[in-house]
Amino acid sequence: MPRKEELIIDDWEFSLNDRDHFTKIDLPHDWAIDRPFKRDMPEGEAQGFRDRRGIGWYRKVYHLNEKKPAGRYYLDFGGIYENSTVWINGIEAGGRKYGYSPFQLDITGSVRRGDNEILIKVDNTSGPADRWYSGAGIYRTVKWIETEAKHFHKNDVVVRTRLDGSDALVTVRTGVDDLVQAVLTDGRHQFTGRSHDGSIAISVPHARLWSADNPQLYRLTLNLIDGDREADQIQLHVGIREIKMIADRGMFVNGRRVILKGVCLHQDVGCRGNAGKKELWRQRLADLKNMGCNAIRCAHHPYPAEFLDLCDEMGFYVYAECFDKWTGGSYGRYFHTEWKNDLSALIKTNRNRPCIFIWGMGNEVENQAQDSMLAILNMLSDYTRILDPSRPITYAMNPHFKRKSTIDVSQVKDIQKFVDEADETEITELDEKMRCIRKIADLVDVISCNYQEQWYEAIHKAVPDKVILGTEIYQFFQGHPQQLQNFSCQVPALVPLRLDYVIGGLIWTGIDYLGESMGYPAKGWSGSPLRTNGDRRFSYYLLQSYWTEKPMVHFSVLDYSIADEGVKEHWDLPPLVDHWHFPQFRRVVIPYAIASNCEEVRLFLNDKQIFVPRPDQFPNRLIFGFLPYQPGTVKAVGYRAGRAVCSQVVRTPGPAAKMVFDRLPERLDVRKGDELLLTVRATDRADNPVFRESAAVRFHVDGPGKLLAVDNGNLSSNEPYADHSIHLYRGQASVLIQFAGTDGRVVVSAAADGLQSGRAVICALSSGQQSLPHAAERERI
């Protein structure tokens, strides 16, 4: 029989702490995201004050028309948070402790013809919780897989590529000793190979190479032949590329130096918690791509396959890591018994992906550079090199190093505080820090530093034979050589542009996330270039001015009248916002900033030119100045070679008069269950945004779709996501809709008292394709 892989995400039942009363749900599902806020809950800051604790039960009946005598049956899970146990028809089939690892269960002996009950227990009663919002439940996809006795195991298939001038050699280790036929195609050309011994070599003349700038993918089809028939077939995407780390010169992709212009991300998607679907992530990644981002650190655990599929397709270099802490913190419960299974799951499921360029062994672990830590790092690194010798290995170093203490870190409740806070064991001498870093550098291929740009030159002098990566960097404030944190205007993102041995930096973080709050009422981490609903902060445009070539200019004002969002200081920026509206002032001088990648910027206030220096005359190319407040129009124009190439106009708005949707798709190819986030803004009658409007907006959906959630990006709000109404935040709010998968017009309306309603009309076209169109075809969204 041919292989059958079927997503089984519809028509499940769920019960929390009660096996007698189930409600209908679809997967992916995060039961914590809609729990009420609980200010006094244990570890509330870490979990966004949403109580995830409890035991969840999931149930589904799957009908099997016929059980083949020689067939093999599997359930494949993208991830279950956490401590899962699976039963098939009352027979225990297995489970997984670590909530981020994918796993597959052989259920052949338990399934039967007819109805099969799948029952899954998810136990979130133990602690400690993660330092960030972890969610709870079956928050990723589930597949039902049927094969013959002879079949491929996808995790055993290994693909490698090697360049030889303009040609390439693609080698495939099939994992089976039977006859395998292989077809490699880019849609225009086809290349073939075959093997009886488990190894296939395919020559590709004039290969089309994969990079973040040009994410060219080939499709590899493997056919397993049994006698005169096909017993199994699998397909996977292949990116032909070559990545080298060269000391003193940097990172080279296909022979060209590349600087990683990246961000760190956590996996929640705001209003859906951790139950984010592929198309919602596509929107988020498209926003990051537009910012100029080309690299992502998946912090700090394995990410879903759908997310990494998009990174392959859209073009991102991915830093993949398995753990945060090791024997301390949340994973400390599992480390000694589970590390090998979880590290294997990360690497074996992802080692054929072109997007992943490096494996991270951990983040800011306990006892850094001490003998106990070095022994574990060596163990993890050695095992990783066995599973995948083709990629470099690294570890993200905390800027704090301490001398040995007698504290048992497995008993420490707040491991991050223990790691971060200075005490009598803190190492302060630079030479001693460098000795610690050399010990770690001996075990890794790339030196990865969190918040240590001020010491890069000393690190390179101590370890000159390895490149440096900023695995976490601040958006705006760089430290001082004599002090970890400082407030001078030295932007860390620019460091790789002047130091060749630094391959890039990854901003903490690219998008706001739930959890790791600095204190109630904040429910998460604010201060990123993008809010949870995709609304852009000034740092988005600042990074765009550093990371993109297309001419851009962006004007913002410094407004200390806006509410504190609870951002941790060094990760924050000054409160620069997008408006020219100060009704509380008559004649006051307003500070402003302009981000631009142009050679010259001209600024006009009510058509009067305000002369400003060129960007290259300012530290970090960021223009600062002052404007006398006069209601009206501010216009910034960017020039290259004496010619105007871009502009931005900001106007003082009149009273809010209507709701207007922005960045709308005209039509969309959709499958059942696809989701789309739409944003509406309050404007005056002339369509000028009204930043200060905060009216409650009510959303409604007509046609083949439904409203799932609302979000305004305000992590200090107590308004629920699972509602049809939410207050505008800084003049905007968003609604998440889900498509029914049938053709038709989906009409989304937004209404607020005293304002003209806004309406978005989307032509939904049902699609039978494997995925929605490539991101480049959907940039209008």
Side-chain angles (χ1 to χ4, degrees):
M1 65 180 185
R3 172 182 289 257
K4 175 185 176 182
E5 294 192 7
E6 177 186 0
L7 277 176
I8 52 170
I9 58 176
D10 298 334
D11 302 321
W12 285 74
E13 294 178 305
F14 171 72
S15 176
L16 183 59
N17 299 323
D18 179 2
R19 291 187 60 180
D20 296 325
H21 300 89
F22 283 81
T23 58
K24 291 187 178 297
I25 55 105
D26 293 329
L27 303 181
H29 177 251
D30 176 358
W31 84 59
I33 191 60
D34 294 325
R35 300 270 283 174
F37 296 116
K38 189 176 181 182
R39 183 171 182 173
D40 61 349
M41 65 174 278
E43 301 172 303
E45 287 86 358
Q47 293 297 304
F49 301 97
R50 288 175 170 86
D51 191 0
R52 53 172 276 276
R53 295 190 182 276
I55 295 177
W57 294 91
Y58 291 85
R59 185 171 65 190
K60 180 179 175 62
V61 174
Y62 183 88
H63 186 81
L64 183 62
N65 290 327
E66 178 185 7
K67 182 177 180 181
K68 304 287 186 179
R72 294 291 183 270
Y73 299 84
Y74 300 92
L75 278 179
D76 187 270
F77 297 92
I80 301 176
Y81 204 91
E82 66 176 346
N83 282 316
S84 59
T85 308
V86 181
W87 291 268
I88 307 297
N89 298 320
I91 302 172
E92 185 173 334
R96 197 73 169 207
K97 294 182 182 297
Y98 193 35
Y100 302 111
S101 284
F103 65 99
Q104 189 175 98
L105 301 177
D106 187 337
I107 58 172
T108 305
S110 305
V111 300
R112 61 196 178 205
R113 179 183 177 184
D115 289 343
N116 292 267
E117 183 192 57
I118 304 170
L119 181 66
I120 302 173
K121 177 185 177 183
V122 184
D123 187 344
N124 276 305
T125 57
S126 64
D130 284 321
R131 295 188 292 118
W132 55 86
Y133 175 82
S134 56
I138 307 179
Y139 68 103
R140 294 181 184 168
T141 56
V142 181
K143 287 182 183 177
W144 179 281
I145 300 175
E146 301 176 16
T147 71
E148 292 192 4
K150 284 188 176 183
H151 62 279
F152 293 109
H153 293 277
K154 287 186 177 180
N155 286 356
D156 292 339
V157 176
V158 180
V159 181
R160 295 285 177 263
T161 65
R162 189 174 76 238
L163 302 186
D164 183 10
S166 64
D167 302 334
L169 181 68
V170 178
T171 58
V172 184
R173 194 169 72 225
T174 65
V176 298
D177 294 329
D178 301 277
L179 174 60
V180 176
Q181 297 175 341
V183 178
L184 185 72
T185 179
D186 62 359
R188 298 187 300 179
H189 306 95
Q190 183 171 293
F191 312 95
T192 62
R194 56 187 289 151
S195 170
H196 284 277
D197 62 3
S199 181
I200 299 174
I202 304 173
S203 296
V204 184
H206 307 293
R208 303 174 69 188
L209 305 183
W210 186 96
S211 69
D213 290 335
N214 182 30
Q216 172 62 48
L217 291 173
Y218 288 76
R219 185 176 69 249
L220 176 65
T221 302
L222 299 178
N223 294 296
L224 177 62
I225 307 301
D226 183 17
D228 59 353
R229 67 186 188 86
E230 179 185 292
D232 195 14
Q233 181 188 95
I234 60 173
Q235 291 186 339
L236 61 154
H237 287 114
V238 173
I240 299 175
R241 52 96 168 132
E242 179 182 74
I243 297 179
K244 293 182 178 180
M245 306 293 179
I246 303 176
D248 282 326
R249 296 181 58 199
M251 173 173 160
F252 287 76
V253 179
N254 306 325
R256 174 177 160 266
R257 184 171 185 251
V258 167
I259 295 175
L260 299 173
K261 305 167 183 177
V263 299
C264 301
L265 291 179
H266 275 313
Q267 70 166 0
D268 77 78
V269 289
C271 62
R272 292 288 277 165
N274 279 344
K277 286 192 174 181
K278 185 174 184 179
E279 286 312 304
L280 191 50
W281 268 115
R282 187 189 294 273
Q283 282 187 266
R284 294 180 142 219
L285 291 176
D287 277 338
L288 290 173
K289 196 78 173 177
N290 183 69
M291 187 176 73
C293 173
N294 68 0
I296 291 169
R297 180 184 179 202
C298 296
H300 303 285
H301 53 74
Y303 262 49
E306 294 79 10
F307 177 90
L308 294 169
D309 287 344
L310 287 170
C311 292
D312 283 338
E313 173 191 330
M314 298 174 68
F316 289 93
Y317 302 110
V318 172
Y319 179 115
E321 63 188 342
C322 197
F323 315 114
D324 181 29
K325 305 295 179 282
W326 293 336
T327 58
S330 177
Y331 193 69
R333 295 169 287 166
Y334 310 135
F335 183 83
H336 293 294
T337 60
E338 304 299 316
W339 73 264
K340 186 172 286 187
N341 287 335
D342 292 322
L343 188 55
S344 294
L346 169 70
I347 295 172
K348 287 186 175 182
T349 55
N350 295 306
R351 59 188 169 186
N352 297 325
R353 294 186 178 278
C355 68
I356 293 178
F357 77 97
I358 199 167
W359 300 116
M361 297 295 97
N363 174 68
E364 298 187 349
V365 306
E366 55 281 0
N367 300 333
Q368 188 170 257
Q370 297 176 23
D371 290 345
S372 58
M373 178 269 181
L374 296 172
I376 293 176
L377 178 58
N378 188 54
M379 175 181 71
L380 299 176
S381 299
D382 282 350
Y383 188 64
T384 298
R385 290 187 177 100
I386 291 172
L387 297 178
D388 180 21
S390 72
R391 288 177 175 84
I393 289 171
T394 193
Y395 153 73
M397 289 187 295
N398 191 298
H400 298 277
F401 292 87
K402 299 184 179 184
R403 298 180 183 88
K404 188 175 181 179
S405 72
T406 59
I407 296 175
D408 180 0
V409 296
S410 66
Q411 302 303 310
V412 175
K413 290 186 177 181
D414 190 339
I415 190 66
Q416 194 62 35
K417 183 177 180 181
F418 171 78
V419 167
D420 281 348
E421 289 200 351
D423 57 24
E424 68 278 2
T425 67
E426 182 84 5
I427 295 172
T428 58
E429 293 297 320
L430 185 61
D431 288 345
E432 195 171 353
K433 281 179 179 282
M434 294 305 109
R435 285 194 290 273
C436 292
I437 289 174
R438 278 197 296 268
K439 292 178 182 180
I440 292 172
D442 286 341
L443 302 178
V444 298
D445 304 303
V446 172
I447 303 171
S448 291
C449 302
N450 292 358
Y451 314 110
Q452 299 177 62
E453 299 82 17
Q454 60 271 39
W455 299 312
Y456 279 175
E457 294 181 56
I459 294 171
H460 182 62
K461 184 178 179 180
V463 191
D465 61 334
K466 291 178 181 176
V467 296
I468 297 173
L469 170 63
T471 30
E472 290 180 27
I473 63 175
Y474 300 120
Q475 294 183 86
F476 196 75
F477 299 114
Q478 182 178 318
H480 186 274
Q482 296 179 8
Q483 183 169 289
L484 171 61
Q485 295 174 324
N486 204 35
F487 291 96
S488 61
C489 296
Q490 293 178 289
V491 177
L494 291 178
V495 173
L497 302 182
R498 63 179 178 84
L499 299 178
D500 288 344
Y501 52 83
V502 179
I503 64 174
L506 306 168
I507 303 289
W508 189 270
T509 59
I511 306 174
D512 287 355
Y513 58 92
L514 305 176
E516 202 167 2
S517 159
M518 294 299 104
Y520 198 88
K523 313 304 188 304
W525 184 282
S526 297
S528 308
L530 291 167
R531 301 183 190 278
T532 55
N533 68 333
D535 193 39
R536 298 172 180 179
R537 290 189 176 90
F538 178 76
S539 56
Y540 183 95
Y541 303 101
L542 178 63
L543 291 170
Q544 191 178 58
S545 75
Y546 298 151
W547 288 352
T548 64
E549 292 295 328
K550 183 179 178 181
M552 59 79 59
V553 62
H554 190 87
F555 170 91
S556 291
V557 294
L558 203 60
D559 186 352
Y560 279 96
S561 71
I562 61 175
D564 177 9
E565 293 189 296
V567 187
K568 201 170 184 178
E569 307 92 297
H570 293 91
W571 285 264
D572 200 5
L573 268 77
L576 290 158
V577 292
D578 293 352
H579 71 76
W580 186 243
H581 187 205
F582 292 93
Q584 70 272 39
F585 297 145
R586 289 187 61 200
R587 305 184 70 86
V588 173
V589 175
I590 306 294
Y592 71 84
I594 301 175
S596 180
N597 56 12
C598 295
E599 298 166 356
E600 178 187 357
V601 173
R602 298 179 188 174
L603 183 64
F604 300 86
L605 174 59
N606 293 328
D607 295 326
K608 178 182 178 181
Q609 184 169 359
I610 308 295
F611 293 92
V612 300
R614 296 159 57 97
D616 60 13
Q617 294 177 281
F618 286 87
N620 300 315
R621 304 203 308 258
L622 178 60
I623 298 173
F624 274 111
F626 300 89
L627 284 179
Y629 181 63
Q630 300 170 9
T633 299
V634 177
K635 183 177 182 180
V637 184
Y639 284 77
R640 287 183 179 174
R643 184 171 64 89
V645 290
C646 57
S647 65
Q648 180 203 16
V649 176
V650 181
R651 294 184 177 89
T652 305
K658 56 185 178 179
M659 308 297 297
V660 176
F661 283 92
D662 64 5
R663 294 201 294 159
L664 284 173
E666 297 172 4
R667 50 186 257 171
L668 199 66
D669 291 336
V670 298
R671 295 181 302 171
K672 181 181 178 182
D674 283 346
E675 298 172 3
L676 180 69
L677 192 71
L678 300 174
T679 297
V680 69
R681 297 185 186 276
T683 73
D684 64 11
R685 294 192 179 280
D687 292 334
N688 298 307
V690 184
F691 176 86
R692 299 187 183 279
E693 180 59 55
S694 59
V697 56
R698 302 176 299 278
F699 293 101
H700 183 76
V701 177
D702 290 308
K706 65 179 180 180
L707 191 159
L708 287 183
V710 291
D711 189 0
N712 62 9
N714 181 8
L715 286 173
S716 293
S717 169
N718 284 338
E719 293 181 283
Y721 289 137
D723 204 340
H724 288 214
S725 177
I726 195 168
H727 281 81
L728 296 171
Y729 181 62
R730 302 189 177 180
Q732 57 80 42
S734 301
V735 59
L736 183 68
I737 61 172
Q738 185 181 78
F739 295 97
T742 57
D743 292 352
R745 284 160 41 101
V746 178
V747 181
V748 185
S749 58
D753 291 346
L755 304 181
Q756 179 182 328
S757 297
R759 195 173 78 142
V761 180
I762 302 168
C763 181
L765 303 175
S766 59
S767 171
Q769 299 176 356
Q770 295 267 330
S771 62
L772 297 187
H774 190 281
E777 300 172 33
R778 304 182 61 217
E779 289 180 350
R780 60 183 179 273
I781 295 179

